[in-house]
Amino acid sequence: MKILLILGLLLCYSFVSSSGDTTIHTNNWAVLVCTSRFWFNYRHMANTLSLYRTVKRLGIPDERIILMLADDMACNARNEYPAQVFNNENHKLNLYGDNVEVDYRGYEVTVENFLRVLTGRHENAVPRSKRLLSDEGSHILLYMTGHGGDEFLKFQDAEELQSHDLADAVKQMKEKRRFKELMIMVDTCQAATLFNQLQSPGVLAIGSSLKGENSYSHHLDSDIGVSVVDRFTYYTLAFFERLNIYDNASLNSLFRSYDPRLLMSTAYYRTDLYQPHLVEVPVTNFFGSVMETIHTNSAYKAFSSKISNSKSNPEMPLNQLSEHDANIPNDELKNEKQKCPYSQMRADLHKKLEKLENVDTVVNLSIAVMVVVVMVSSSLLR
Amino acid sequence: MEETSDRLNPGITPEFDPKTMRSTKPGLKRLFITTSVLFSFLLGVPFLWKSVEIYRSPLPFHDIDSLSDQIESTPLRFPCNFHAVFVGFPSTDPDNLRSQIQDGINQLTHQNSQCGSCNFSLSVTVQNRDDQCSETLAHSSTTCSYRCGVIKRNVFGVGVDDTVDESLNDVFSGCSEESGKVYSVVVVNKENANGGDEVKAVVGKRRHAWIVGNGLEERYGDMVARVSEIFVKVFMTGGRDEDSIQGEFMPVGSDGRIVLSFSLLNSNPRDWVYDWDFQRIDEALLAPVTKALAPIANISVESQVLYHTPKSSFSSWDKKLQSYIFRTSDLPFFVNSNEWHLDTSAGASGRSKILQFVVYIPSGKECPLLLQLPNGEISKTNGFISPMWGGVIVWNPGNCDKDSESPSRNTISPQDLEQIVEIFLGQFRQLFGFKSEAIYTSGLGTYKILPSERGFTEWELDVLSRKHTCFNLHSCSTTLGSLSRLVRSLPRMIIKDEIGEQVKYSLKAAKLAQSNASLGGYSSSASSSREARSLAENAFFHPSIMSVSYFSYEHCFAVYSPFFLPVAGHVVLAALREWRRYKQEKAKYLTWLTRKKTA
């Protein structure tokens, strides 16, 4: 018994110390952003939806995922398969199947909204489902895909997100303790330049290509007519399809699985701001959701002690209230009768109708009566 | 050349050269026109400057910096008064006892002055068998003093603990509202010859505790140690082990509100459907708890009943226990976030904290469902919490036999509801870092802790108030510090009046909290520190502070220069040109004048 206690304490201690920080890891969040629109950027939306599906399958609930999509593919007039989005030409997986909750769609995907999500500065009326409600123990996965370049990312063909804006937002998040660890995954051309200016600790970043390199799509689906997935995301998904919620494959194995020859670009990752060793960090720290749970050892016997002590007064608080309650409804009914005879009449009628067993015959009879009345009255009036 | 010109034009002066001389004074008209145009441009520059000036509400940077320095350097300590009463002891020197107890307390606290700890003052009263008292001279004279002989030795041990608690409350209830609350420990020495040797220690629901035993006059050292332990381990730290202000056991939202969201999950309504009368629980059992925690957080309660909500982990049949077992290793995967739509609160605003409390009713295929702990025992509560999220209780229906007809619709009985609420209170206290066991065990012995119907005893509420005041003030000062740094780094960002006012009120509330804390008002300092934190968060998260919307100086220059630079360039150049021409003509005139004079 004592040994188990000591072991338990050691486990807790090792868990706390391995995180490198004094806060415990409370939950996981995912912010998935697709920054392109238009039909020929089908693959970017398919990328984001595939990652959404993966992250949900591994346990992160919708209430902790912020999905930003232009969402103009599934119901596009050019889509041969309406309401279906695929990420492979074998069409095995419909990404837009069921239970897809898009938080920011269409023209709401702007740089300003993206930065508002990250920093938390929303108008008062913005609902909770559109906010990043992370706390100081959260691990956040930030995935962005689209068209990018040297130190910028293009948003919806109209604006740009610069690398210093992103670094500034991350700095403000860190100051306000909105995350414990942040993982940024970018799948665009020259992706690694986007996190050049990052300086906050606790951030891990991986991009699909270096400066001067392009990121390529994986294959073209001749049925749909456009490319359906990018290479970096395709190999990421290939890694995750082998996992389930109980696995503990490490981030190192994920990063090592990227082959530059297959990707046709160099997947570059930056770990200088991230303290823990990649070999020890399971991918479910970011991509899945493992709740921190503590068993409740005992109930708080506030009421049973009262009952056992006061034998002369055996009424429990709930029963006391029930006696009190029983008097009230009658009074209310009486008041109602005095107040509003019309509604009382309606209530009586409703009760009578409910008692009827076969309502259909009554309805048919009344329709017949109505017809007769109409005929009689029209003949009289003529 | 001069001579020929002389012979040709005898009327003009011999040395006139139009290139270097002129006969008339140069006019000022051209110069006047150009310089007046330039001057009007220059006049307009201040108006232009004023029009592109951005409005920045002046923030009290100096005050913010001084607040954060203050909070960092001097941790906030609260005044507490400790009072020990020894009843039934032969005349002993109370000062000696006092110094012993003080040594014991200092040893236990290791003299660490963390934020939220007590700056205590100790007084001891000894009442001997003849009901005569001798007291120590307290440093601070409190208006309430213990009236000698009020506590009778025969009260203890006869009545039940609750009645003893009530009677002691009558004795000590007058002592408060001075500098801090008074915590009392009564040590009673009974003289039953046939009594056993056991010592009973009970901690009451308000701010007093008592130790009863026989023959205690021989065991002074023990008693002193136990008294110091009660003062430090129970009244000062609340029975919690960790001392630090960890954020994960402070589930209060940044606007000072908590929403308790109760959900009753019917996992498979085809087997059975359960309902509950939540209105009753709310009015009878939850309202006192909500009221008790009012200084710490503004709590609102909502509830819902959900159907078709299976869990996502698996359980296995255990023949010996005749039930389905799930283990603590399955707990992290228990909550099925895909199908449990818990976060549907309509009343919670963006910055409140929602705590989910789930009562899960298993389906017929998994009934009864019991939680097995790693040591093989079955859990008594069948529940678990996740810090900062909430708790789950698995409640098994009375009999697990399914009716083959339509699913039965039942309501959870009031007795079961009370049991569930007791477990919920245990979980709620756990989320705040308190344990709920009825017995507190330490090296020196066991203490029975009486539970209160309000969910928290008064001394626990004091501990909570102190801890939360510390946390809120710390959070407020870091938020205001971040805001001031951010504002100073973006010189062209508009700061609205609203933000300035919120910062001002937040600083005022923080100062009020600090002064209340030094005066000993725990709950008032907790509520003002909560207000300070919420105002600071409102100011920091104001939606107008978006750096992407505001231009830097270079951008501003780039926007305005195409309008003004070309025209301004021409005007300035023209003025300069005229000025130079005027000077040249003036020089020419002057040379002609000197020639004329010399000639």
mmCIF file of all heavy atoms in Angstrom, chain B residues 366-393:
data_model
loop_
_atom_site.group_PDB
_atom_site.id
_atom_site.type_symbol
_atom_site.label_atom_id
_atom_site.label_comp_id
_atom_site.label_asym_id
_atom_site.label_seq_id
_atom_site.Cartn_x
_atom_site.Cartn_y
_atom_site.Cartn_z
ATOM 1 N N GLU B 366 -23.804 -2.320 -19.768
ATOM 2 C CA GLU B 366 -22.647 -2.106 -18.909
ATOM 3 C C GLU B 366 -23.081 -1.803 -17.496
ATOM 4 O O GLU B 366 -22.465 -0.980 -16.820
ATOM 5 C CB GLU B 366 -21.830 -0.935 -19.421
ATOM 6 C CG GLU B 366 -21.032 -1.237 -20.652
ATOM 7 C CD GLU B 366 -20.133 -0.087 -20.995
ATOM 8 O OE1 GLU B 366 -20.591 1.060 -20.927
ATOM 9 O OE2 GLU B 366 -18.968 -0.333 -21.310
ATOM 10 N N CYS B 367 -24.151 -2.398 -17.068
ATOM 11 C CA CYS B 367 -24.665 -2.039 -15.763
ATOM 12 C C CYS B 367 -24.418 -3.175 -14.799
ATOM 13 O O CYS B 367 -24.704 -4.313 -15.128
ATOM 14 C CB CYS B 367 -26.154 -1.746 -15.919
ATOM 15 S SG CYS B 367 -26.990 -1.375 -14.410
ATOM 16 N N PRO B 368 -23.994 -3.064 -13.574
ATOM 17 C CA PRO B 368 -23.466 -1.834 -12.977
ATOM 18 C C PRO B 368 -22.029 -1.570 -13.387
ATOM 19 O O PRO B 368 -21.280 -2.496 -13.650
ATOM 20 C CB PRO B 368 -23.546 -2.116 -11.475
ATOM 21 C CG PRO B 368 -23.437 -3.589 -11.366
ATOM 22 C CD PRO B 368 -24.012 -4.170 -12.616
ATOM 23 N N LEU B 369 -21.654 -0.315 -13.446
ATOM 24 C CA LEU B 369 -20.328 0.081 -13.896
ATOM 25 C C LEU B 369 -19.575 0.638 -12.702
ATOM 26 O O LEU B 369 -20.004 1.588 -12.083
ATOM 27 C CB LEU B 369 -20.485 1.157 -14.974
ATOM 28 C CG LEU B 369 -19.246 1.573 -15.733
ATOM 29 C CD1 LEU B 369 -18.655 0.420 -16.469
ATOM 30 C CD2 LEU B 369 -19.612 2.676 -16.706
ATOM 31 N N LEU B 370 -18.468 0.024 -12.347
ATOM 32 C CA LEU B 370 -17.741 0.449 -11.165
ATOM 33 C C LEU B 370 -16.309 0.808 -11.529
ATOM 34 O O LEU B 370 -15.724 0.217 -12.435
ATOM 35 C CB LEU B 370 -17.737 -0.677 -10.110
ATOM 36 C CG LEU B 370 -19.111 -1.092 -9.601
ATOM 37 C CD1 LEU B 370 -18.964 -2.255 -8.643
ATOM 38 C CD2 LEU B 370 -19.789 0.064 -8.898
ATOM 39 N N LEU B 371 -15.761 1.713 -10.776
ATOM 40 C CA LEU B 371 -14.398 2.167 -11.024
ATOM 41 C C LEU B 371 -13.458 1.433 -10.089
ATOM 42 O O LEU B 371 -13.671 1.410 -8.881
ATOM 43 C CB LEU B 371 -14.313 3.675 -10.789
ATOM 44 C CG LEU B 371 -12.936 4.319 -10.797
ATOM 45 C CD1 LEU B 371 -12.307 4.172 -12.147
ATOM 46 C CD2 LEU B 371 -13.050 5.780 -10.435
ATOM 47 N N GLN B 372 -12.430 0.841 -10.661
ATOM 48 C CA GLN B 372 -11.485 0.111 -9.831
ATOM 49 C C GLN B 372 -10.197 0.910 -9.732
ATOM 50 O O GLN B 372 -9.633 1.333 -10.735
ATOM 51 C CB GLN B 372 -11.195 -1.260 -10.447
ATOM 52 C CG GLN B 372 -10.393 -2.153 -9.531
ATOM 53 C CD GLN B 372 -10.166 -3.503 -10.153
ATOM 54 O OE1 GLN B 372 -9.804 -3.601 -11.307
ATOM 55 N NE2 GLN B 372 -10.372 -4.548 -9.382
ATOM 56 N N LEU B 373 -9.726 1.097 -8.512
ATOM 57 C CA LEU B 373 -8.518 1.873 -8.291
ATOM 58 C C LEU B 373 -7.295 0.997 -8.525
ATOM 59 O O LEU B 373 -7.411 -0.229 -8.545
ATOM 60 C CB LEU B 373 -8.512 2.401 -6.856
ATOM 61 C CG LEU B 373 -9.680 3.315 -6.542
ATOM 62 C CD1 LEU B 373 -9.719 3.620 -5.072
ATOM 63 C CD2 LEU B 373 -9.570 4.589 -7.344
ATOM 64 N N PRO B 374 -6.127 1.592 -8.693
ATOM 65 C CA PRO B 374 -4.937 0.779 -8.977
ATOM 66 C C PRO B 374 -4.638 -0.239 -7.889
ATOM 67 O O PRO B 374 -4.025 -1.266 -8.162
ATOM 68 C CB PRO B 374 -3.818 1.809 -9.053
ATOM 69 C CG PRO B 374 -4.465 3.074 -9.373
ATOM 70 C CD PRO B 374 -5.836 3.037 -8.811
ATOM 71 N N ASN B 375 -5.079 0.027 -6.644
ATOM 72 C CA ASN B 375 -4.753 -0.946 -5.611
ATOM 73 C C ASN B 375 -5.788 -2.057 -5.529
ATOM 74 O O ASN B 375 -5.755 -2.860 -4.616
ATOM 75 C CB ASN B 375 -4.632 -0.252 -4.257
ATOM 76 C CG ASN B 375 -5.898 0.499 -3.913
ATOM 77 O OD1 ASN B 375 -6.902 0.408 -4.610
ATOM 78 N ND2 ASN B 375 -5.867 1.241 -2.825
ATOM 79 N N GLY B 376 -6.717 -2.094 -6.473
ATOM 80 C CA GLY B 376 -7.670 -3.176 -6.493
ATOM 81 C C GLY B 376 -8.987 -2.860 -5.824
ATOM 82 O O GLY B 376 -9.964 -3.576 -6.012
ATOM 83 N N GLU B 377 -9.026 -1.793 -5.042
ATOM 84 C CA GLU B 377 -10.284 -1.478 -4.364
ATOM 85 C C GLU B 377 -11.262 -0.866 -5.340
ATOM 86 O O GLU B 377 -10.876 -0.320 -6.362
ATOM 87 C CB GLU B 377 -10.029 -0.446 -3.266
ATOM 88 C CG GLU B 377 -9.422 -1.023 -2.030
ATOM 89 C CD GLU B 377 -9.109 0.114 -1.067
ATOM 90 O OE1 GLU B 377 -9.585 1.245 -1.287
ATOM 91 O OE2 GLU B 377 -8.365 -0.140 -0.123
ATOM 92 N N ILE B 378 -12.529 -0.928 -4.942
ATOM 93 C CA ILE B 378 -13.563 -0.290 -5.752
ATOM 94 C C ILE B 378 -13.781 1.116 -5.203
ATOM 95 O O ILE B 378 -13.836 1.322 -3.998
ATOM 96 C CB ILE B 378 -14.874 -1.095 -5.665
ATOM 97 C CG1 ILE B 378 -14.651 -2.435 -6.335
ATOM 98 C CG2 ILE B 378 -16.006 -0.369 -6.335
ATOM 99 C CD1 ILE B 378 -14.374 -2.327 -7.802
ATOM 100 N N SER B 379 -13.915 2.060 -6.085
ATOM 101 C CA SER B 379 -14.062 3.443 -5.644
ATOM 102 C C SER B 379 -15.383 3.628 -4.918
ATOM 103 O O SER B 379 -16.415 3.105 -5.303
ATOM 104 C CB SER B 379 -14.016 4.346 -6.867
ATOM 105 O OG SER B 379 -14.635 5.556 -6.590
ATOM 106 N N LYS B 380 -15.338 4.433 -3.854
ATOM 107 C CA LYS B 380 -16.578 4.656 -3.089
ATOM 108 C C LYS B 380 -17.462 5.677 -3.775
ATOM 109 O O LYS B 380 -18.660 5.709 -3.577
ATOM 110 C CB LYS B 380 -16.220 5.162 -1.691
ATOM 111 C CG LYS B 380 -15.577 4.105 -0.833
ATOM 112 C CD LYS B 380 -15.492 4.548 0.606
ATOM 113 C CE LYS B 380 -14.388 5.548 0.834
ATOM 114 N NZ LYS B 380 -13.060 4.941 0.865
ATOM 115 N N THR B 381 -16.828 6.553 -4.561
ATOM 116 C CA THR B 381 -17.605 7.631 -5.155
ATOM 117 C C THR B 381 -17.938 7.379 -6.621
ATOM 118 O O THR B 381 -18.838 8.002 -7.147
ATOM 119 C CB THR B 381 -16.831 8.943 -5.089
ATOM 120 O OG1 THR B 381 -15.574 8.736 -5.732
ATOM 121 C CG2 THR B 381 -16.622 9.384 -3.672
ATOM 122 N N ASN B 382 -17.176 6.505 -7.273
ATOM 123 C CA ASN B 382 -17.396 6.246 -8.700
ATOM 124 C C ASN B 382 -17.289 7.515 -9.522
ATOM 125 O O ASN B 382 -18.024 7.720 -10.476
ATOM 126 C CB ASN B 382 -18.801 5.659 -8.927
ATOM 127 C CG ASN B 382 -18.716 4.312 -9.601
ATOM 128 O OD1 ASN B 382 -17.655 3.744 -9.738
ATOM 129 N ND2 ASN B 382 -19.847 3.809 -10.031
ATOM 130 N N GLY B 383 -16.381 8.385 -9.127
ATOM 131 C CA GLY B 383 -16.276 9.639 -9.853
ATOM 132 C C GLY B 383 -14.840 10.105 -9.943
ATOM 133 O O GLY B 383 -13.974 9.642 -9.211
ATOM 134 N N PHE B 384 -14.607 11.058 -10.862
ATOM 135 C CA PHE B 384 -13.268 11.619 -11.004
ATOM 136 C C PHE B 384 -13.397 13.044 -11.515
ATOM 137 O O PHE B 384 -14.455 13.439 -12.010
ATOM 138 C CB PHE B 384 -12.417 10.789 -11.981
ATOM 139 C CG PHE B 384 -12.936 10.754 -13.389
ATOM 140 C CD1 PHE B 384 -12.467 11.641 -14.341
ATOM 141 C CD2 PHE B 384 -13.896 9.828 -13.770
ATOM 142 C CE1 PHE B 384 -12.946 11.619 -15.642
ATOM 143 C CE2 PHE B 384 -14.375 9.797 -15.062
ATOM 144 C CZ PHE B 384 -13.904 10.685 -16.005
ATOM 145 N N ILE B 385 -12.312 13.802 -11.359
ATOM 146 C CA ILE B 385 -12.334 15.184 -11.857
ATOM 147 C C ILE B 385 -11.210 15.362 -12.862
ATOM 148 O O ILE B 385 -10.284 14.565 -12.915
ATOM 149 C CB ILE B 385 -12.135 16.227 -10.738
ATOM 150 C CG1 ILE B 385 -10.768 16.094 -10.104
ATOM 151 C CG2 ILE B 385 -13.210 16.138 -9.710
ATOM 152 C CD1 ILE B 385 -10.268 17.380 -9.508
ATOM 153 N N SER B 386 -11.327 16.412 -13.642
ATOM 154 C CA SER B 386 -10.215 16.861 -14.462
ATOM 155 C C SER B 386 -10.016 18.336 -14.117
ATOM 156 O O SER B 386 -10.960 19.114 -14.240
ATOM 157 C CB SER B 386 -10.566 16.689 -15.938
ATOM 158 O OG SER B 386 -9.517 17.149 -16.739
ATOM 159 N N PRO B 387 -8.834 18.734 -13.631
ATOM 160 C CA PRO B 387 -8.676 20.096 -13.140
ATOM 161 C C PRO B 387 -8.993 21.117 -14.220
ATOM 162 O O PRO B 387 -8.622 20.958 -15.369
ATOM 163 C CB PRO B 387 -7.203 20.175 -12.753
ATOM 164 C CG PRO B 387 -6.769 18.792 -12.594
ATOM 165 C CD PRO B 387 -7.590 17.958 -13.482
ATOM 166 N N MET B 388 -9.683 22.155 -13.839
ATOM 167 C CA MET B 388 -10.115 23.229 -14.729
ATOM 168 C C MET B 388 -11.164 22.791 -15.751
ATOM 169 O O MET B 388 -11.555 23.584 -16.594
ATOM 170 C CB MET B 388 -8.941 23.865 -15.499
ATOM 171 C CG MET B 388 -7.900 24.463 -14.628
ATOM 172 S SD MET B 388 -8.519 25.852 -13.705
ATOM 173 C CE MET B 388 -8.165 27.164 -14.821
ATOM 174 N N TRP B 389 -11.620 21.555 -15.705
ATOM 175 C CA TRP B 389 -12.696 21.150 -16.617
ATOM 176 C C TRP B 389 -13.974 20.834 -15.858
ATOM 177 O O TRP B 389 -15.053 21.343 -16.176
ATOM 178 C CB TRP B 389 -12.264 19.926 -17.426
ATOM 179 C CG TRP B 389 -13.304 19.444 -18.363
ATOM 180 C CD1 TRP B 389 -13.578 19.937 -19.606
ATOM 181 C CD2 TRP B 389 -14.228 18.373 -18.158
ATOM 182 N NE1 TRP B 389 -14.610 19.238 -20.180
ATOM 183 C CE2 TRP B 389 -15.033 18.274 -19.316
ATOM 184 C CE3 TRP B 389 -14.467 17.493 -17.106
ATOM 185 C CZ2 TRP B 389 -16.042 17.332 -19.446
ATOM 186 C CZ3 TRP B 389 -15.482 16.556 -17.230
ATOM 187 C CH2 TRP B 389 -16.254 16.489 -18.400
ATOM 188 N N GLY B 390 -13.887 19.980 -14.836
ATOM 189 C CA GLY B 390 -15.083 19.612 -14.089
ATOM 190 C C GLY B 390 -14.966 18.193 -13.582
ATOM 191 O O GLY B 390 -13.863 17.698 -13.368
ATOM 192 N N GLY B 391 -16.103 17.526 -13.403
ATOM 193 C CA GLY B 391 -16.067 16.190 -12.850
ATOM 194 C C GLY B 391 -17.126 15.299 -13.460
ATOM 195 O O GLY B 391 -18.114 15.763 -14.026
ATOM 196 N N VAL B 392 -16.927 13.994 -13.321
ATOM 197 C CA VAL B 392 -17.851 13.003 -13.845
ATOM 198 C C VAL B 392 -18.200 12.060 -12.709
ATOM 199 O O VAL B 392 -17.326 11.637 -11.962
ATOM 200 C CB VAL B 392 -17.210 12.198 -15.002
ATOM 201 C CG1 VAL B 392 -18.137 11.099 -15.463
ATOM 202 C CG2 VAL B 392 -16.867 13.104 -16.151
ATOM 203 N N ILE B 393 -19.483 11.773 -12.546
ATOM 204 C CA ILE B 393 -19.917 10.764 -11.571
ATOM 205 C C ILE B 393 -20.669 9.704 -12.354
ATOM 206 O O ILE B 393 -21.557 10.023 -13.152
ATOM 207 C CB ILE B 393 -20.878 11.372 -10.533
ATOM 208 C CG1 ILE B 393 -20.241 12.571 -9.859
ATOM 209 C CG2 ILE B 393 -21.282 10.346 -9.508
ATOM 210 C CD1 ILE B 393 -21.196 13.311 -8.971
#
